[in-house]
Amino acid sequence: MAAERDTPPLGSAAAGLADFREPEDGEDLFVSTASTLESSPSSPEPASLQVEDVSANSNGPKTAEILIDDDQDDLFAEATEEVSLDSPEREPILSDGPSPAITPVTPTALISNRIEPKVIGVPSMFERSLDEVEEEAGGDLFDINISVSDPEKVGKTSLTIFNQSEFSVKRRFSDFLGLHSKLASKYMHIGYIVPPAPEKSIVGMTKVKVGKEDLSSTEFVEKRRSALERYLMRTVKHPTLIQDPDVIQFLESSELPRAVSTQALSGAGILRMVNKAADAVNKMTIKMNESDAWFEEKQQQFENLDQQLRKLHASVEALVCHRKELSVNTASFARSAAMLGNSEDHTALSRALSQLAEVEEKIDQLHQEQAYADFYLFSELLGDYVRLITAVKGVFDQRMKTWSKWQDAQVMLQKKREAEAKLHLANKPDKLQQAKDEIKEWEGKVQQGERDFEQISKTIRKEVGRFEKERVKDFKVVIIKYLESLVHTQQQLIKYWEAFLPEAKAIA
Amino acid sequence: MLKEGKLFFEIYLHFSLLVDLNNDASLLIDIPDALCERDKVKFTVHTKTTLGTFQKPEFSVSRQHEDFIWLHDTLVETEEYAGLIIPPAPPKPDFESPREKMHKLGEGEASMTKEEYAKMKQELEAEYLAVFKKTVQVHEIFLQRLSSHPVFSKDRNFQIFLEYDQDLSVRRKNAKEMFGGFFKNMVKTADEVLISGTKEVDEFFDQEKTFLLDYFSKIKDATSKAEKMTRSHKNVADDYIHVSATLNTILYIPLSIPLSRHLEKLADLFEKLRKVEGRVASDQELKLTELLRYYMRDIQAAKDLLYRRARALADYENANKALDKARLKSKDVAQAQQHQQQCLQKFDTLSESGKKELTSFKGRRVLAFRKNLIEMAELEIKHAKSNMALLQGCVELLKSN
């Protein structure tokens, strides 16, 4: 790992981006490639996914198993798949090859670097059922590789839902936003935690000052690329989302219809804004009778976690900032020490001061690299989780809305019954039939409302469980990587100072 | 920890910028403790001597910073010492930085956990203490340079400073009235011009002049850059405190239970890292920034010597002109001649002693740099090794779970 870190962070990116075609409308063209690899011989039928009933006391009827194909929007009812679990060395989030994320994508080298396929881990919620499933269907284990890079990159798949086994596509930033928008509108209202897309505005995305260089284009592109990659990885890790036709199309189609709804001033954009505002108002006015303590607890915990994560994120952003400052100040001192060495008339001391200047120059590089690691590994991880928790909170809100709808239906039903009773007394037979029909209609709606509510509650429990498990693995992997970057910095410091020591001793 | 009143502490880190100080057993001086009262620092100056010129073999007095300045100024304004490098006066104790930070901390208290606040306060108190230690040491070194100098150690005012068991404030006031800070002002503004303007026939002094003028500006720059570097290190250490504290809060949220062991280890790690980082910062400050700062002042003192010599040369040249004039007019020739001779003698004495002083100064400087650079490198290595051990330990733990 040390060897790879010796490459200057943005050197190769700059070279790579030189051949980067200028995208229209100033948007970046990102290449999204997906590859899936079979890790075990497959039987023709994909495995069915068994989900344990997580809700001990759900608000709805118990069901023994929930197959993914119960989802209304899933067109590929048969094509469920089992995704295998990660081993700790794999990196589900950052797929720049064995080197850490601070090394930007080098265009052509990607495949050769990738010795082992990246495996997307599914939270161990499925761990228990893994054995069952394997026994049951001789389960296929599919690995999915995602990388977002500049040029074409080829991947493999044997997932039957994909048309080809290897493919790569070019996507605009707005395409990613469009994908997220579609997924959100399809899945969030039924309780799925849809991974949030990176923010459009770079200023909103981060408060991190860059220090020496201003937010240069290479750094900007790298930040965005890395964020998009993590976004896609999270999306395809979701067992439901990976089967969504929009996702498949996104990963596979050579041509994608231009996503218009992301444009802020479009009709759809305005509609979204209005809906967001309406949601905010509703949240304040809905007072739900929470019969399930689980939801109340979790909501509170997510609220706490949100607060603390934001705080932590802010602290780490400050750390990045200060580390960059340290790098700048060290470089500045190095120059000053060199000047001092030149001015010094005692030969041996002059030499030592020049050596000191060189050491400090190397150290300033170290600090800068460390700052990149601070950012790409630690800070971005936290930022992603802050955004994810916002999505989680959104899903809880959707549940409230669903409950509210159910309640409203009940109220309406009551009204219709009262109306019918009145008509009975008033003896208007023709209107009576209509009233009876309306009662039937609203009874249906009440039932549907209850079902929806139970369904979303169930889904949320499942999703939260998945989220919790995934977080553990996510976090561990990235933190270990981050700590190893810190170790590397210290190792280098020792090296440099040990080289300097004899120089200092040589002053006579 | 730092409360008003007497503060006892050990000076475990003797930052001897100069070697072979205080070696002469006939006059040993140290500042064993000091008192911090409001804005004033009161130093206890302790002397042990075998010299008969003192009334007692061992004694202590209490002195303020202004007393040191008074002593320094009297030395500067003593004619006989014109050919010597007067040790630079210690800078005024400056608690501004930690005080300001403490104020900011108080304002931000509401946004932190109790633990976080306590840690930040601890850091600040350590900073206070460090400033305190630095100022004691720099005052101590000033006295030790005087005591180890063959000429200064015999200075009458120096003896009064060490021995007089009353308050020196009366003397200080008198001195101010006498000199009115005139000489100091003159030196500050005029020396550059005078030194660089005078034509130098002596090769040694010519080289020294060129060297000192250039070196001074370079070392001044290096000092301020080193200071900035140290501050950044401190900022990083402070950030670690916040990270650690927030991690500690997060691990108590029930959602984090599967991660709580990891978070705990991580929080603990950052807490330990910040201590090491803090050490790195303070060691760098002492070994590098303070070294540069001290020699910057010392170089200024050397420049002052050059100035005095240049002044003496100018006086001599003027005396020569006056002599020529007198000869022309045939008036007061003997007087003019005597004056000219005096000036020449003064100039020669100054040059001779100046040469010796500047040569030994270089030797002193080189040795001090060597010592401190070695120590700094060794400390950096030590701290990096500590950090590495901490980090690797944590990585092992995280991987094994």
Side-chain angles (χ1 to χ4, degrees):
Chain A
M1 242 180 171
E4 278 127 24
R5 283 206 178 88
D6 285 340
T7 56
L10 292 179
S12 35
L17 288 167
D19 353 281
F20 203 44
R21 253 173 288 143
E22 263 302 304
E24 301 161 26
D25 303 330
E27 286 191 68
D28 291 319
L29 264 182
F30 287 93
V31 177
S32 152
T33 64
S35 59
T36 57
L37 279 146
E38 232 178 287
S39 60
S40 68
S42 60
S43 64
E45 272 123 48
S48 71
L49 199 55
Q50 270 205 341
V51 174
E52 27 171 307
D53 190 345
V54 203
S55 46
N57 48 322
S58 74
N59 287 337
K62 287 195 185 357
T63 44
E65 32 175 275
I66 300 163
L67 293 177
I68 299 276
D69 55 3
D70 265 356
D71 297 334
Q72 306 150 325
D73 292 305
D74 191 348
L75 302 178
F76 296 81
E78 311 303 344
T80 57
E81 86 285 3
E82 178 71 40
V83 185
S84 72
L85 293 166
D86 248 356
S87 63
E89 290 86 71
R90 310 284 175 79
E91 310 149 17
I93 297 172
L94 312 156
S95 60
D96 269 336
S99 46
I102 54 175
T103 328
V105 174
T106 43
T108 49
L110 269 184
I111 297 188
S112 45
N113 278 353
R114 187 154 300 149
I115 306 152
E116 299 163 312
K118 295 287 175 354
V119 178
I120 302 174
V122 157
S124 53
M125 157 167 189
F126 299 121
E127 239 174 347
R128 275 208 282 140
S129 49
L130 182 65
D131 293 328
E132 303 165 27
V133 172
E134 272 183 324
E135 286 166 21
E136 186 187 279
D140 296 339
L141 300 174
F142 294 99
D143 307 334
I144 299 184
N145 260 335
I146 295 271
S147 85
V148 175
S149 59
D150 322 307
E152 306 356 56
K153 194 234 165 241
V154 188
K156 294 183 187 294
T157 180
S158 56
L159 206 59
T160 53
I161 52 176
F162 291 101
N163 291 335
Q164 307 155 258
S165 57
E166 289 186 20
F167 47 89
S168 77
V169 292
K170 287 197 188 8
R171 293 286 178 255
R172 289 190 149 71
F173 184 71
S174 62
D175 294 333
F176 287 79
L177 296 185
L179 174 67
H180 172 258
S181 170
K182 287 195 198 130
L183 293 177
S185 63
K186 277 200 261 186
Y187 292 100
M188 281 200 72
H189 71 276
I190 49 172
Y192 285 95
I193 303 171
V194 175
E199 281 162 47
K200 198 162 189 170
S201 128
I202 196 69
V203 172
M205 212 158 100
T206 171
K207 290 178 292 186
V208 174
K209 250 189 345 206
V210 182
K212 258 201 277 218
E213 317 101 37
D214 254 333
L215 208 56
S216 66
S217 53
T218 41
E219 218 177 289
F220 175 90
V221 171
E222 176 51 28
K223 273 188 188 144
R224 209 172 233 201
R225 187 209 65 81
S226 167
L228 289 173
E229 193 172 87
R230 294 193 309 272
Y231 161 67
L232 264 192
M233 288 295 276
R234 288 209 174 90
T235 304
V236 301
K237 262 202 254 183
H238 195 297
T240 308
L241 297 179
I242 183 57
Q243 299 175 74
D244 182 276
D246 282 316
V247 171
I248 294 165
Q249 186 190 43
F250 182 91
L251 293 174
E252 226 185 14
S253 300
S254 44
E255 283 296 314
L256 208 61
R258 185 69 184 275
V260 279
S261 64
T262 59
Q263 276 143 31
L265 296 180
S266 72
I270 292 176
L271 192 63
R272 266 211 318 272
M273 281 196 301
V274 169
N275 279 338
K276 265 204 174 118
D279 281 348
V281 171
N282 277 339
K283 210 158 72 155
M284 295 189 291
T285 55
I286 296 179
K287 272 283 147 71
M288 188 169 142
N289 287 338
E290 188 59 79
S291 55
D292 191 347
W294 186 92
F295 282 91
E296 200 166 328
E297 274 168 33
K298 286 295 173 188
Q299 203 155 2
Q300 187 56 50
Q301 288 168 18
F302 275 111
E303 206 47 68
N304 285 348
L305 188 59
D306 184 39
Q307 214 179 14
Q308 294 304 321
L309 274 182
R310 281 177 197 272
K311 194 164 169 231
L312 186 59
H313 188 218
S315 297
V316 175
E317 282 189 320
L319 175 64
V320 176
C321 208
H322 289 138
R323 189 96 69 185
K324 282 185 166 155
E325 257 171 40
L326 178 58
S327 163
V328 169
N329 291 337
T330 306
S332 173
F333 173 73
R335 281 192 295 272
S336 192
M339 301 270 289
L340 188 64
N342 283 340
S343 179
E344 174 62 61
D345 63 353
H346 185 274
T347 326
L349 179 55
S350 167
R351 191 185 141 79
L353 287 171
S354 303
Q355 296 291 4
L356 178 67
E358 274 181 39
V359 169
E360 295 287 2
E361 212 179 285
K362 290 196 197 130
I363 289 177
D364 115 63
Q365 263 307 108
L366 263 187
H367 287 314
Q368 191 168 41
E369 285 168 22
Q370 185 59 61
Y372 281 126
D374 291 340
F375 180 75
Y376 282 108
L377 294 174
F378 204 1
S379 178
E380 288 281 78
L381 173 74
L382 294 172
D384 284 352
Y385 271 102
V386 167
R387 282 188 285 274
L388 257 173
I389 288 191
T390 308
V392 172
K393 283 171 28 168
V395 144
F396 275 89
D397 289 345
Q398 291 296 332
R399 180 174 170 269
M400 281 212 292
K401 271 170 71 176
T402 311
W403 180 85
S404 180
K405 207 165 152 203
W406 176 28
Q407 297 304 306
D408 290 346
Q410 283 182 325
V411 166
M412 205 41 143
L413 176 62
Q414 187 59 27
K415 281 206 180 111
K416 295 297 176 187
R417 285 190 172 138
E418 284 169 4
E420 195 235 9
K422 277 205 192 110
L423 286 175
H424 243 295
L425 297 173
N427 208 4
K428 289 196 178 126
D430 40 326
K431 287 220 176 112
L432 203 59
Q433 186 52 44
Q434 186 189 6
K436 281 199 174 14
D437 288 339
E438 282 181 357
I439 288 176
K440 262 253 154 33
E441 184 194 337
W442 282 97
E443 275 173 350
K445 284 195 180 159
V446 166
Q447 276 175 10
Q448 185 60 45
E450 189 176 3
R451 269 204 301 275
D452 286 345
F453 180 73
E454 271 146 23
Q455 182 60 49
I456 196 177
S457 300
K458 188 166 277 146
T459 304
I460 291 179
R461 278 176 182 266
K462 190 176 76 185
E463 285 285 279
V464 165
R466 199 183 75 85
F467 171 87
E468 286 175 316
K469 298 286 164 55
E470 189 167 304
R471 208 175 107 218
V472 175
K473 240 186 321 211
D474 234 8
F475 180 81
K476 235 178 98 167
V477 166
V478 176
I479 283 300
I480 287 175
K481 219 169 174 198
Y482 175 62
L483 293 184
E484 284 175 343
S485 83
L486 289 172
V487 169
H488 174 259
T489 300
Q490 299 302 315
Q491 275 169 341
Q492 292 298 101
L493 279 174
I494 293 174
K495 202 171 92 180
Y496 296 150
W497 286 112
E498 278 181 343
F500 175 72
L501 199 50
E503 295 291 342
K505 290 186 169 159
I507 304 169
Chain B
M1 197 178 152
L2 187 81
K3 27 187 200 289
E4 304 228 322
K6 234 169 188 191
L7 183 96
F8 288 99
F9 57 93
E10 300 166 38
I11 307 177
Y12 65 83
L13 200 69
H14 243 121
F15 90 133
S16 47
L17 299 172
L18 312 162
V19 285
D20 296 332
L21 270 190
N22 228 27
N23 261 357
D24 182 5
S26 64
L27 184 61
L28 292 169
I29 303 177
D30 71 319
I31 301 182
D33 65 73
L35 207 133
C36 196
E37 241 170 45
R38 302 272 156 207
D39 271 0
K40 286 248 172 279
V41 181
K42 293 222 165 85
F43 303 94
T44 304
V45 180
H46 167 250
T47 311
K48 241 166 124 170
T49 179
T50 57
L51 298 175
T53 43
F54 291 91
Q55 289 172 9
K56 285 184 274 188
E58 190 169 352
F59 47 89
S60 288
V61 292
S62 175
R63 292 288 178 250
Q64 292 177 35
H65 170 72
E66 286 72 22
D67 300 329
F68 288 77
I69 300 302
W70 164 81
L71 178 58
H72 173 261
D73 288 351
T74 61
L75 296 174
V76 167
E77 285 160 28
T78 307
E79 275 284 340
E80 294 98 69
Y81 303 153
L84 305 174
I85 296 179
I86 316 282
K92 194 167 178 203
D94 181 16
F95 294 98
E96 190 54 45
S97 168
R99 195 178 295 139
E100 208 183 292
K101 271 172 120 180
M102 191 64 104
H103 184 68
K104 273 206 193 119
L105 181 65
E107 286 178 346
E109 188 179 352
S111 68
M112 304 184 199
T113 64
K114 248 204 293 198
E115 190 194 276
E116 209 173 338
Y117 178 77
K119 293 232 168 79
M120 293 293 290
K121 191 143 170 266
Q122 203 180 65
E123 271 303 298
L124 269 178
E125 284 169 352
E127 205 174 308
Y128 258 109
L129 194 60
V131 172
F132 201 73
K133 278 192 194 156
K134 258 195 296 174
T135 197
V136 165
Q137 285 165 351
V138 95
H139 284 77
E140 190 182 73
I141 286 195
F142 171 70
L143 296 176
Q144 287 173 347
R145 267 189 75 176
L146 295 176
S147 68
S148 57
H149 195 283
V151 178
F152 292 131
S153 56
K154 302 193 178 70
D155 182 83
R156 179 85 189 102
N157 286 317
F158 184 44
Q159 188 171 354
I160 292 170
F161 178 94
L162 292 173
E163 210 178 25
Y164 187 63
D165 60 1
Q166 304 289 322
D167 197 319
L168 283 178
S169 54
V170 176
R171 281 182 181 262
R172 280 193 278 126
K173 223 171 23 157
N174 291 342
K176 258 212 194 111
E177 277 159 15
M178 272 177 67
F179 299 119
F182 160 78
F183 188 71
K184 250 206 283 199
N185 287 336
M186 246 185 86
V187 169
K188 280 326 179 239
T189 52
D191 64 353
E192 298 282 331
V193 178
L194 197 60
I195 294 173
S196 40
T198 322
K199 210 167 33 175
E200 194 51 74
V201 286
D202 185 324
E203 203 188 300
F204 173 82
F205 281 101
D206 189 39
Q207 275 180 344
E208 282 298 303
K209 185 174 81 178
T210 315
F211 168 67
L212 286 174
L213 287 178
D214 183 47
Y215 201 74
F216 180 74
S217 69
K218 301 282 157 47
I219 200 172
K220 191 166 173 208
D221 186 57
T223 307
S224 86
K225 300 284 158 66
E227 217 173 23
K228 278 199 181 137
M229 204 168 57
T230 307
R231 247 203 306 261
S232 291
H233 265 300
K234 287 201 183 130
N235 285 338
V236 169
D238 283 347
D239 288 331
Y240 283 173
I241 295 180
H242 296 304
V243 169
S244 174
T246 315
L247 285 171
N248 263 323
T249 313
I250 290 178
L251 75 94
Y252 285 109
I253 301 174
L255 276 175
S256 308
I257 284 178
L259 268 177
S260 64
R261 269 203 318 273
H262 303 313
L263 291 174
E264 201 173 19
K265 283 179 198 133
L266 204 61
D268 183 54
L269 173 70
F270 273 98
E271 170 57 25
K272 296 203 172 91
L273 285 179
R274 71 105 177 167
K275 289 214 171 93
V276 179
E277 212 45 50
R279 280 273 180 59
V280 170
S282 67
D283 285 342
Q284 192 182 79
E285 177 155 43
L286 280 177
K287 298 292 165 191
L288 188 62
T289 312
E290 284 306 304
L291 172 76
L292 293 170
R293 201 196 309 275
Y294 188 83
Y295 278 96
M296 177 181 81
R297 281 188 260 117
D298 227 356
I299 300 243
Q300 182 63 51
K303 276 166 70 188
D304 292 346
L305 169 59
L306 283 185
Y307 167 74
R308 291 192 289 271
R309 181 174 168 277
R311 205 133 220 5
L313 183 59
D315 288 346
Y316 171 64
E317 279 166 2
N318 288 340
N320 256 341
K321 289 199 190 113
L323 180 58
D324 288 343
K325 232 202 221 158
R327 284 201 174 122
L328 258 149
K329 287 194 182 152
S330 300
K331 196 174 162 205
D332 297 319
V333 172
Q335 204 179 21
Q337 209 161 17
Q338 194 188 36
H339 181 60
Q340 189 241 35
Q341 281 307 304
Q342 276 174 344
C343 285
L344 180 61
Q345 200 174 39
K346 185 169 157 212
F347 175 71
D348 281 342
T349 321
L350 235 164
S351 296
E352 199 187 310
S353 116
K355 198 168 194 168
K356 261 195 277 180
E357 286 276 300
L358 288 169
T359 310
S360 71
F361 170 57
K362 188 195 300 289
R364 233 184 18 240
R365 189 181 85 243
V366 172
L367 278 175
F369 269 74
R370 180 179 188 277
K371 183 171 189 289
N372 282 280
L373 287 177
I374 290 174
E375 283 172 5
M376 182 174 78
E378 286 172 346
L379 284 166
E380 289 272 356
I381 293 168
K382 177 173 158 226
H383 293 318
K385 285 187 172 160
S386 302
N387 272 340
M388 221 168 75
L390 287 170
L391 287 163
Q392 280 171 334
C394 191
V395 170
E396 287 304 312
L397 285 173
L398 288 178
K399 276 184 172 167
S400 69
N401 278 335

